[in-house]
Amino acid sequence: MSTLLLAEHQNGQLRAITHHAVTAATVLGGEIDVLVAGEGLAGIAEQAAQLAGVSRVLVVESTDLAHQEAERIAPLVASIAGKYQNVIAASGTYARNMLPRVAALLDANMVSDVLKIVSADTFVRGIYAGNVHATVQTADAVRVLSIRPTAFAAAGNQPAAPIEPLGWQVATEDKRLAQWISAEQTVSKGPELATAKTVVSGGRALGSAAQFQELLVPLAGKLGAALGASRAAVDEGYAPNDWQVGQTGVVVAPELYLAIGISGAVQHLAGMKDSGTVVAINQDPDAPIFQYADYGLVGDLFTLLPELTSKL
Amino acid sequence: MKILVAVKRTVDPNIKVRIKADQSDVDIAAAKMSMNPFDEIAVEEAVRLKEKGIATEIVAVSIGAASVQDTLRHALAMGADRAILVEHATATDSLTVAKLLAAVARKENPDLLLLGKQAIDDDSAQAGPMLAALLGIGQGIAASRLEPENGFVTVTREVDGGQETLRLPLPALVTSDLRLNEPRYVKLPNLMQARKKPVETLTPEDLGVAATARTTLLQVAEPPARKAGIKVGSVDELIERLRSEAKVLP
């Protein structure tokens, strides 16, 4: 048994969700080779080599891969995947773009967002917005899996594994398929949403982007928390899209989740209901969020939040 | 420009599904069904491109039992010109779906392929990128904006940490994010008109695709239930309980 793990990185840092994928790979057993592809990878490869369980780090450095397009990297992954039984990555936007393309090139199916590894070919995953857990078995020779990062702990550290460069030329026709134009990043001072220990999320009841900033940012700051939002808050323009917690946004499972002015629609619950402790603050005592909250506080969030922030 | 848009018939997003007594699958026999919300956004985008004079023809395609006709009629009522039903009643996986759609695309030669970014039932989010791989074309996954011009489509994608903009040569594949647009309501006259639009039925055999799934559903179960929580009376009580009971605050 051996596993090829695709490392996700952004701005010269290995993304923390990759640490969780390494733990899932150790559950599968056998050697774990981590593939780091892109440009400016020295620091990222070193971070990957120190994750407990990693056997080797394979580095493909090329200016042609600076923007990590699936059209350019998937053929590389498919070309070496035959040597492995598993190809895995943490479920994030990188894997969602890359892994199905890899799977199709391998003529293999893929299992998305694995919550539990039952055996080498059998996995548990959520369907219907996480309301049902499905156990699925795959008959493919190479198993392509994305891992729900919050379902596996982060890997610890080890003395650095060997780092080996791998030669790869992006085919001219693959370069033609996608041309990167620009990226726009949301500036966020707190921890990364997907792996934060505490998340403070706001909903439509915040009323405006200014109140979102004024009430939630200081609270998140006091708690060292990442900021999240419901779809309603994002649609109203109170928060950027990539803060959206839910079925179609980020799935989080922090130790503490504070849902502020969020009613608790099925699609939002899908993104947070595996959190350790859930706190809901809402004016409506019948809001569905209270059925999931360990601690509920009914009242006006415009008076309760400043009080909570000042008393922490 | 010709657009192929793939739509799936799924359980209505507001329904809480139930599990069959033998845990073999979910029980959706009596559930309200509708078009997958992300696919509705894909159809809406195609129709808007036609209204702008950019698209010349919109072909909607769906895979499933004869009942997916409803979903195709909905796409036709929204503004698609004709529909293709690939009749395949047994449960299938994303790779088979992608292979069937690739075969339809090779027949139809569209310039743009539009899909939803995921179906709200299986939540796999795979068919789009798989289809792009099988056709050897570029992909814009989870698009919140798309603009075709001069043989290319410029796509803004929602990614963790922000947005990214790509330019893909046509033919290209784009999957819709919720942000792409607000789908229109279908009016009764449009529904009546849609009845007159052609629906072609094909089988996997017609398309030369061996539609045998290699992923098997063994069992479904309820996720572990959370224990009932309590309502607290004040901010002080909340902080106290988070400290001493839940031990999540220092």
Side-chain angles (χ1 to χ4, degrees):
Chain A
M1 180 75 78
S2 61
T3 296
L4 178 66
L5 189 152
L6 313 188
E8 178 164 349
H9 57 91
Q10 241 176 11
N11 310 323
Q13 292 290 319
L14 187 69
R15 276 194 71 191
I17 56 172
T18 302
H19 304 193
H20 298 253
V22 168
T23 302
T26 58
V27 177
L28 290 163
E31 304 259 286
I32 303 166
D33 288 356
V34 177
L35 177 69
V36 185
E39 191 184 31
L41 304 174
I44 299 161
E46 279 158 31
Q47 292 167 35
Q50 285 163 14
L51 291 173
V54 171
S55 313
R56 289 193 302 170
V57 177
L58 310 174
V59 179
V60 182
E61 171 109 35
S62 163
T63 49
D64 287 335
L65 300 177
H67 303 296
Q68 305 178 53
E69 294 95 338
E71 293 83 349
R72 299 179 184 198
I73 296 180
L76 153 69
V77 178
S79 75
I80 57 174
K83 286 189 266 178
Y84 300 89
Q85 280 76 53
N86 309 296
V87 176
I88 80 167
S91 188
T93 49
Y94 176 75
R96 279 200 280 275
N97 194 30
M98 187 72 64
L99 276 181
R101 196 164 177 113
V102 169
L105 295 178
L106 294 170
D107 193 33
N109 247 294
M110 172 182 166
V111 185
S112 290
D113 242 356
V114 169
L115 298 171
K116 193 178 160 198
I117 295 161
V118 179
S119 68
D121 63 358
T122 305
F123 311 97
V124 176
R125 56 181 303 269
I127 56 175
Y128 292 92
N131 283 311
V132 178
H133 282 186
T135 306
V136 296
Q137 188 171 37
T138 164
D140 287 310
V142 180
R143 282 155 321 237
V144 182
L145 313 171
S146 70
I147 299 296
R148 171 75 61 86
T150 54
F152 298 87
N157 288 322
Q158 68 174 15
I163 297 173
E164 297 173 18
L166 204 66
W168 175 256
Q169 286 281 329
V170 178
T172 315
E173 60 265 31
D174 291 337
K175 268 190 238 180
R176 240 196 72 242
L177 290 182
Q179 185 195 345
W180 183 86
I181 305 284
S182 63
E184 205 178 298
Q185 291 192 324
T186 309
V187 185
S188 183
K189 278 182 237 142
E192 192 184 338
L193 178 59
T195 50
K197 286 203 163 85
T198 307
V199 173
V200 174
S201 270
R204 197 200 302 267
L206 269 302
S208 71
Q211 280 162 339
F212 208 96
Q213 287 289 322
E214 202 175 303
L215 292 169
L216 293 193
V217 172
L219 176 60
K222 276 254 173 105
L223 292 165
L227 279 163
S230 70
R231 181 185 165 193
V234 172
D235 284 349
E236 296 290 341
Y238 304 165
N241 297 346
D242 58 304
W243 289 8
Q244 186 178 325
V245 171
Q247 183 183 18
T248 68
V250 183
V251 178
V252 301
E255 289 170 14
L256 174 60
Y257 186 88
L258 290 97
I260 315 288
I262 292 176
S263 65
V266 174
Q267 290 77 9
H268 184 76
L269 296 173
M272 48 63 72
K273 65 185 174 190
D274 294 325
S275 302
T277 300
V278 175
V279 172
I281 301 180
N282 205 303
Q283 196 147 26
D284 175 9
D286 298 323
I289 191 74
F290 286 120
Q291 291 165 30
Y292 288 87
D294 300 282
Y295 302 105
L297 184 55
V298 179
D300 178 11
L301 56 92
F302 296 101
T303 53
L304 291 173
L305 283 191
E307 187 190 347
L308 177 60
T309 305
S310 71
K311 284 179 172 168
L312 282 172
Chain B
M1 192 173 86
K2 181 171 173 180
I3 300 178
L4 184 70
V5 53
V7 295
K8 184 176 184 182
R9 183 174 185 259
T10 57
V11 168
D12 188 273
N14 300 309
I15 304 270
K16 192 176 187 306
V17 291
R18 275 196 236 185
I19 288 171
K20 287 182 182 170
D22 65 358
Q23 294 200 312
S24 62
D25 205 342
V26 292
D27 187 1
I28 54 168
K32 186 187 173 209
M33 305 295 282
S34 55
M35 187 188 286
N36 177 42
F38 289 96
D39 302 347
E40 220 174 348
I41 293 168
V43 175
E44 174 65 31
E45 196 65 19
V47 175
R48 289 186 189 190
L49 289 172
K50 193 171 177 200
E51 287 167 348
K52 282 186 206 158
I54 296 169
T56 47
E57 189 185 21
I58 303 167
V59 182
V61 54
S62 192
I63 301 164
S67 53
V68 305
Q69 288 253 12
D70 299 355
T71 310
L72 288 171
R73 291 286 169 203
H74 185 74
L76 293 170
M78 286 179 74
D81 297 292
R82 60 187 174 90
I84 298 172
L85 160 62
V86 180
E87 208 161 356
H88 180 58
T90 44
T92 194
D93 50 35
S94 303
L95 186 62
T96 307
V97 167
K99 283 180 180 176
L100 292 168
L101 293 177
V104 172
R106 286 190 190 104
K107 258 171 71 96
E108 294 285 339
N109 283 314
D111 301 288
L112 184 64
L113 294 94
L114 283 172
L115 273 71
K117 78 164 179 178
Q118 73 193 73
I120 57 157
D121 50 6
D122 67 38
D123 280 334
S124 287
Q126 297 170 4
M130 282 181 167
L131 175 56
L134 295 177
L135 296 173
I137 59 176
Q139 63 189 46
I141 303 305
S144 57
R145 194 156 179 264
L146 76 92
E147 224 169 300
E149 33 85 46
N150 302 329
F152 288 86
V153 59
T154 304
V155 180
T156 300
R157 308 177 50 221
E158 298 295 314
V159 298
D160 293 343
Q163 295 183 322
E164 167 179 84
T165 301
L166 301 170
R167 193 159 178 261
L168 312 170
L170 300 177
L173 177 134
V174 177
T175 70
S176 60
D177 195 84
L178 286 172
R179 307 297 151 218
L180 186 59
N181 60 47
E182 186 94 26
R184 68 195 59 196
Y185 286 104
V186 169
K187 295 187 190 103
L188 190 61
N190 301 108
L191 268 174
M192 304 298 282
Q193 268 173 16
R195 287 198 198 153
K196 294 186 195 124
K197 292 183 180 175
V199 179
E200 181 187 0
T201 303
L202 296 171
T203 64
E205 293 73 44
D206 296 337
L207 294 165
V209 176
T212 39
R214 277 175 301 190
T215 303
T216 319
L217 178 65
L218 298 182
Q219 193 201 308
V220 295
E222 299 267 359
R226 287 187 77 90
K227 67 171 174 56
I230 53 157
K231 290 215 172 103
V232 296
S234 66
V235 166
D236 290 320
E237 188 190 346
L238 176 64
I239 293 173
E240 175 51 31
R241 285 191 186 259
L242 288 175
R243 280 202 177 114
S244 57
E245 223 171 66
K247 302 192 194 318
V248 285
L249 289 183

